[in-house]
Amino acid sequence: MASTAITHPHTTSAAARDGREIRRHELAGFLRSRRERITPEQVGLPRGTRRRTPGLRREEVAQLSSVGVTWYTWLEQARDIHVSVQVLDALARTLMLDAGERAHLFQLAGATDPTPAARCPSVTPALEEMLRRLEPLPACIQNSRYDILAYNRVYGRLLGDLDAVPPEDRNCMLLVHTDPQWRASIVHLEEAERVMAAKLRASMAGHLGEPAWKMLVARLEERSPSFRENWRRYEVYASPTRIKLFRNPWVGLLTLHHTDLWLTPEFGARMVTYAPADDDSRQRLDRLHALVTRDERQERPEAAA
């Protein structure tokens, strides 16, 4: 007769408590180590003459992350407190965590990172090949929150250098409202800001309780006065603008037809493409494609072989 292992509830709960305590201590040590490696100059703070702490002080991290000093101190003391994804996101930015460190932070805190990763499982190799084949047309894949999940080389240079933007910040709403290169590239910026805010409100209707959406709106309200003003209008936007005008920093004015190719309408995933609306724009897209191809060959000599 096969024996049956018996697990006592109090044993299981004790093991779970031990696991949480270990994670809290790991989280505390990780935060402390990341805090100590960042110099005040890196975050725009004066060093002063009496600084003994390596890196940043706890109160400086708390201030930069908009959290209470006592609360952050408890985190580094491994106290049993709840950490929201909004706070984890703020700490990750303040401590300048890379993608691996950010993932580690959320894992230690037992939370799910709501921002898009550098790669998305829904972006299949077939879709990536389609993006490449569409060149010289700019094209990308976005979700309903306007996160840019994948893009081809020409789209990466359409409004600046998208490769230089951290993956977690590759969001059209953020870029239109906060990124200097994107803002300088949009011909009718004020109109675009108002339309984008209205589009976000329309898209958000089915995601009102989701942390990632609330975090995005909070960041936009904090960093963009124009977004705050437009968001309070409570406008929603349904019919898309088909013609877009961009001042590309490398090839000049582009007049483009904007098209959404829906991949999964229920989730808002779509391929966004831009086709030239006139001969000048077609020639300029060809020049932009030649430019990014040349740059890639210079960076990867084996690609030219």
Side-chain angles (χ1 to χ4, degrees):
M1 181 175 179
S3 60
T4 302
I6 299 175
T7 302
H8 295 284
H10 70 273
T11 303
T12 302
S13 61
R17 285 197 303 271
D18 289 344
R20 289 195 298 270
E21 184 176 357
I22 292 171
R23 283 204 309 273
R24 288 199 307 271
H25 282 279
E26 284 289 323
L27 176 62
F30 181 66
L31 288 172
R32 188 164 50 250
S33 70
R34 300 304 89 178
R35 170 173 62 82
E36 291 175 349
R37 73 174 182 175
I38 297 177
T39 65
E41 292 84 356
Q42 286 178 282
V43 293
L45 295 175
R47 173 169 291 277
T49 57
R50 298 184 178 180
R51 181 177 294 270
R52 297 178 182 176
T53 305
L56 297 178
R57 300 186 179 101
R58 285 175 176 172
E59 57 266 27
E60 291 169 337
V61 172
Q63 178 184 1
L64 292 168
S65 305
S66 299
V67 300
V69 176
T70 300
W71 191 91
Y72 179 75
T73 300
W74 286 350
L75 264 183
E76 285 203 7
Q77 291 175 345
R79 300 280 191 98
D80 189 6
I81 58 176
H82 173 71
V83 191
S84 70
V85 293
Q86 291 90 340
V87 168
L88 291 171
D89 177 73
L91 290 174
R93 296 178 191 282
T94 297
L95 299 174
M96 301 180 182
L97 304 186
D98 62 24
E101 292 169 334
R102 182 185 174 95
H104 186 62
L105 173 70
F106 276 82
Q107 186 174 23
L108 289 176
T112 301
D113 189 350
T115 58
R119 295 184 63 81
C120 177
S122 64
V123 180
T124 63
L127 287 175
E128 291 179 338
E129 179 66 14
M130 288 177 64
L131 289 175
R132 285 192 293 269
R133 294 285 183 173
L134 282 170
E135 292 182 350
L137 302 186
C140 72
I141 294 174
Q142 299 177 17
N143 61 16
S144 59
R145 202 171 57 237
Y146 294 88
D147 297 319
I148 302 170
L149 306 178
Y151 55 93
N152 62 19
R153 297 172 301 176
V154 182
Y155 184 89
R157 294 289 189 90
L158 183 61
L159 295 96
D161 186 0
L162 191 55
D163 291 342
V165 177
E168 63 270 17
D169 290 338
R170 292 174 190 164
N171 175 280
C172 289
M173 294 292 166
L174 276 175
L175 293 167
V176 165
H177 287 91
T178 66
D179 185 88
Q181 284 190 328
W182 273 56
R183 292 173 63 79
S185 298
I186 298 172
V187 174
H188 302 297
L189 180 60
E190 289 186 11
E191 178 187 353
E193 288 178 323
R194 185 168 178 175
V195 167
M196 292 296 278
K199 283 185 173 182
L200 181 62
R201 187 172 288 283
S203 296
M204 193 172 178
H207 308 274
L208 294 174
E210 297 179 23
W213 289 77
K214 293 191 290 186
M215 281 173 53
L216 175 60
V217 172
R219 288 185 68 192
L220 287 164
E221 287 187 314
E222 179 185 0
R223 298 176 60 182
S224 172
S226 62
F227 178 83
R228 287 197 301 272
E229 179 182 349
N230 289 323
W231 191 245
R232 291 166 188 161
R233 296 176 185 268
Y234 282 84
E235 295 176 336
V236 292
Y237 191 81
S239 61
T241 303
R242 293 301 179 188
I243 298 288
K244 301 279 182 81
L245 274 69
F246 300 127
R247 295 188 196 90
N248 184 268
W250 291 279
V251 298
L253 182 66
L254 293 168
T255 304
L256 305 175
H257 289 288
H258 170 263
T259 303
D260 287 325
L261 304 174
W262 296 96
L263 305 176
T264 54
E266 66 273 23
F267 299 117
R270 62 199 178 278
M271 181 177 291
V272 179
T273 63
Y274 291 98
D278 53 47
D279 287 338
D280 286 343
S281 296
R282 181 176 295 104
Q283 293 173 13
R284 287 168 182 163
L285 279 182
D286 287 339
R287 296 210 317 262
L288 185 60
H289 181 231
L291 184 149
V292 297
T293 302
R294 183 201 65 193
D295 288 352
E296 184 179 64
R297 286 173 177 167
Q298 289 176 347
E299 293 172 5
R300 299 170 50 209
E302 67 276 8

